[in-house]
Amino acid sequence: MLANVLFAADAVVVGAGAGLSAAAGYAYAGGRFEKYFGDFALTCGFADMYSGGFYPFATLGAFWAYWSRFIWINRYAPVSGSVYGDLRRLLADKDAFVITTNVDHCFQRSGFSRDRLFYTQGDYGLLQCSGPCCQKTWDNEGAIRAMVEAQGFCIAEDGELLVPSGAAPAMSVPDHLVPRCPHCGRPATTNLRIDGTFVQDKGWHAAARRYREFVRSRSDGRRILYLELGVGSNTPVIIKYPFWGLCARNERSVYACVNRGEAWAPKEIRDRSILVDADIARVLEDLGDLGEARIA
């Protein structure tokens, strides 16, 4: 049923949450965490990357030792698995836009057009003033690379972060590598929406305008598929609730939710909802196979 609706839709609005990246292999706990953060786990006591992001590190050097590893493996190392590639191929000939709470930039790194993406919660690849003194951000790849290398890590040609062989990585970075705001000199921080200091720069506002215009211009009774992938209940006001409202206002639209353990819809649109309680990776793979068979 989802395949038929997807192929027949005049436009697709994709809402992507953490579950999509988890399906792609971006696990924040387990072996991946132990590989890159086993030293921090022993020293600081947290057991996953998410918890580490809120740990009160005693120094900026330790803060950036943790965050530079985190950002590199989740933003600059190669995109794992085929999930994002499968989704891009499914939408290749569709009029589509993506709104996401994910900050790992996997969409753009997998070939999605930047003009059809809205990253609402920030980007691991950007820094901002911790004040902030201004609504500006700047790219961090060079700074992050320097910090992980200063800890003893090596970076492969494809961008993979390699754990030091036979030596323990440093758990702090030198003071001169700690990033600071180029405008006021305050310590820089990650451009992530965790409190009221989050910077919404010109790029953020431009993407928000493009998204609003896309939704507005296609809310005229067209066959719209609101495809929600891996969106949980943490921040439902960003994707989930708006999708429900948009679907309710257009009787030719369909709401689809693919999310293991959390696939549901309100009664007002249940007759136009497709709820798939399954692994996102498998669902996208199956949809791709159906699409190829349809073309053949």
Side-chain angles (χ1 to χ4, degrees):
M1 186 176 180
L2 177 55
N4 292 335
V5 172
L6 173 62
F7 300 142
D10 297 318
V12 181
V13 184
V14 176
L20 182 63
S21 283
Y26 283 86
Y28 277 16
R32 192 165 176 261
F33 170 75
E34 290 296 332
K35 178 179 179 180
Y36 296 108
F37 301 100
D39 50 355
F40 280 101
L42 288 172
T43 302
C44 303
F46 52 79
D48 59 76
M49 295 184 218
Y50 184 80
S51 300
F54 294 94
Y55 187 81
F57 293 102
T59 66
L60 286 173
F63 174 92
W64 281 110
Y66 176 81
W67 272 103
S68 60
R69 298 184 200 181
F70 185 110
I71 291 171
W72 190 270
I73 66 171
N74 291 304
R75 173 62 173 81
Y76 294 113
V79 177
S80 61
S82 62
V83 166
Y84 281 91
D86 288 343
L87 180 59
R88 179 179 57 80
R89 286 185 288 273
L90 276 175
L91 300 176
D93 63 345
K94 305 301 295 186
D95 183 22
F97 206 109
V98 174
I99 178 173
T100 181
T101 54
N102 296 342
V103 292
D104 48 32
H105 222 52
C106 282
F107 282 103
Q108 194 166 329
R109 291 192 284 146
S110 298
F112 285 77
S113 171
R114 184 173 184 174
D115 291 338
R116 293 293 181 96
L117 295 174
F118 179 25
Y119 286 82
T120 66
Q121 305 297 76
D123 180 353
Y124 286 145
L126 296 176
L127 297 178
Q128 65 166 72
C129 177
S130 58
C133 69
C134 59
Q135 293 297 301
K136 295 181 179 180
T137 63
W138 59 97
D139 293 338
N140 66 18
E141 183 174 3
I144 298 299
R145 176 184 287 270
M147 285 189 277
V148 295
E149 290 180 336
Q151 295 173 68
F153 290 94
C154 296
I155 299 173
E157 289 186 8
D158 67 353
E160 187 69 39
L161 186 64
L162 304 177
V163 178
S165 177
M171 295 179 64
S172 183
V173 301
D175 288 345
H176 72 275
L177 291 181
V178 171
R180 293 187 173 274
C181 175
H183 306 287
C184 71
R186 285 189 183 97
T189 191
T190 53
N191 180 231
L192 307 176
R193 190 189 299 278
I194 56 175
D195 56 30
T197 65
F198 175 66
V199 167
Q200 297 176 172
D201 63 8
K202 290 182 178 179
W204 188 97
H205 285 288
R209 286 192 297 270
R210 289 192 296 268
Y211 175 68
R212 288 195 300 267
E213 176 57 24
F214 183 92
V215 172
R216 185 202 64 76
S217 64
R218 289 155 181 82
S219 299
D220 54 1
R222 301 186 207 187
R223 294 175 298 182
I224 310 298
L225 171 61
Y226 296 99
L227 179 58
E228 185 187 290
L229 301 171
V231 176
S233 302
N234 192 29
T235 52
V237 297
I238 297 173
I239 295 173
K240 189 177 291 292
Y241 293 171
F243 274 23
W244 291 350
L246 288 164
C247 185
R249 290 193 290 272
N250 176 2
E251 292 185 354
R252 298 190 72 198
S253 66
V254 174
Y255 167 73
C257 176
V258 185
N259 199 359
R260 177 172 285 173
E262 293 190 60
W264 63 287
K267 65 180 187 301
E268 289 82 0
I269 60 169
R270 199 159 296 158
D271 61 334
R272 287 185 286 111
S273 297
I274 301 172
L275 308 177
V276 185
D277 185 349
D279 177 65
I280 296 173
R282 182 60 183 271
V283 172
L284 294 178
E285 183 180 349
D286 289 346
L287 287 172
D289 292 341
L290 291 171
E292 291 178 4
R294 182 170 174 268
I295 294 172

